[in-house]
Amino acid sequence: NRSLYLKGPATRYHDPIDKTPGRIQGNSRRWGDATIETKTEVIREIIRSAKDLNYSLEETAFALLVARLESGFNPDAAALGSTAAGVGQLVERTGIGVGLSPEDAFDYQQNTKAMLLYIKDRMEFVKKRYPDISTEEQFKYTYAHYHDGNILQYGGLEISAKQIMPNFNRLISMLKAKISE
């Protein structure tokens, strides 16, 4: 029972990591604490799932940047101060809203799909709320609303400007080069 661990907001940080043999897993709940093999498989899953959801190259690059920022590609990452968990660090309520059960929060495939569905939701929200902004600004605001929800009040816009957008065009160029090989 998670409530035994709680002091303050709910968290999945103290949940034991499923060590089932063959399971794609992190080493701990900390950002990026996973083997290179695990991170590579998570990246592959993001690309596969993005393709299944008809993501553009730019949207796929954006999703990779979101996962890198949120979990460092650690499928077992969890926030200490909230219920944010897994590849996309979706809080429990948001995850449920896009079909992710709390039991599957650390399943890298289920969490990746939920993250991608939530990114799509946020993209649509941004396009409606800010119809006249550039495509690059749409991605900037998409992350801000991914991080903050509908009301920008938790620093998501600044995080997006400093940690997502500086890498966005560089990653797109790298992906295009890789595709043309």
Side-chain angles (χ1 to χ4, degrees):
N1 184 343
R2 271 186 281 156
S3 63
L4 297 174
Y5 300 108
L6 302 181
K7 292 183 181 181
T11 180
R12 303 286 305 264
Y13 192 83
H14 301 289
D15 287 8
I17 293 176
D18 179 356
K19 300 285 188 180
T20 302
R23 179 182 172 271
I24 301 299
Q25 64 191 26
N27 299 320
S28 73
R29 298 285 182 215
R30 293 187 317 270
W31 181 94
D33 190 18
T35 65
I36 191 70
E37 293 82 13
T38 291
K39 291 177 184 183
T40 300
E41 179 53 31
V42 169
I43 290 166
R44 285 184 178 133
E45 183 61 27
I46 293 167
I47 294 167
R48 275 192 300 266
S49 293
K51 185 177 179 183
D52 290 347
L53 292 170
N54 297 312
Y55 265 48
S56 68
L57 178 70
E58 291 78 10
E59 291 167 339
T60 302
F62 178 76
L64 288 165
L65 291 170
V66 169
R68 181 182 178 275
L69 177 61
E70 292 293 330
S71 68
F73 305 113
N74 177 1
D76 285 315
L80 195 51
S82 75
T83 59
V87 173
Q89 288 294 287
L90 298 171
V91 294
E92 193 169 288
R93 182 175 166 183
T94 299
I96 290 169
V98 290
L100 180 66
S101 71
E103 296 78 28
D104 289 332
F106 296 112
D107 178 303
Y108 79 107
Q109 292 170 315
Q110 295 300 316
N111 195 287
T112 293
K113 182 179 177 186
M115 175 189 75
L116 293 171
L117 290 171
Y118 190 55
I119 288 172
K120 276 285 193 195
D121 174 80
R122 298 293 76 197
M123 285 180 182
E124 291 171 16
F125 175 83
V126 165
K127 286 176 184 176
K128 287 178 186 170
R129 180 171 274 189
Y130 313 99
D132 299 324
I133 62 175
S134 70
T135 301
E136 192 165 315
E137 287 288 298
Q138 286 177 0
F139 283 107
K140 179 176 155 185
Y141 275 84
T142 295
Y143 179 76
H145 285 288
Y146 180 97
H147 183 273
D148 290 1
N150 290 350
I151 300 171
L152 299 178
Q153 60 185 6
Y154 300 108
L157 196 55
E158 293 80 16
I159 295 167
S160 186
K162 290 179 182 175
Q163 298 185 46
I164 295 283
M165 298 316 296
N167 298 308
F168 184 65
N169 289 324
R170 193 176 88 220
L171 181 56
I172 291 169
S173 296
M174 287 171 49
L175 289 172
K176 285 180 178 177
K178 193 74 171 160
I179 290 169
S180 66
E181 288 180 355

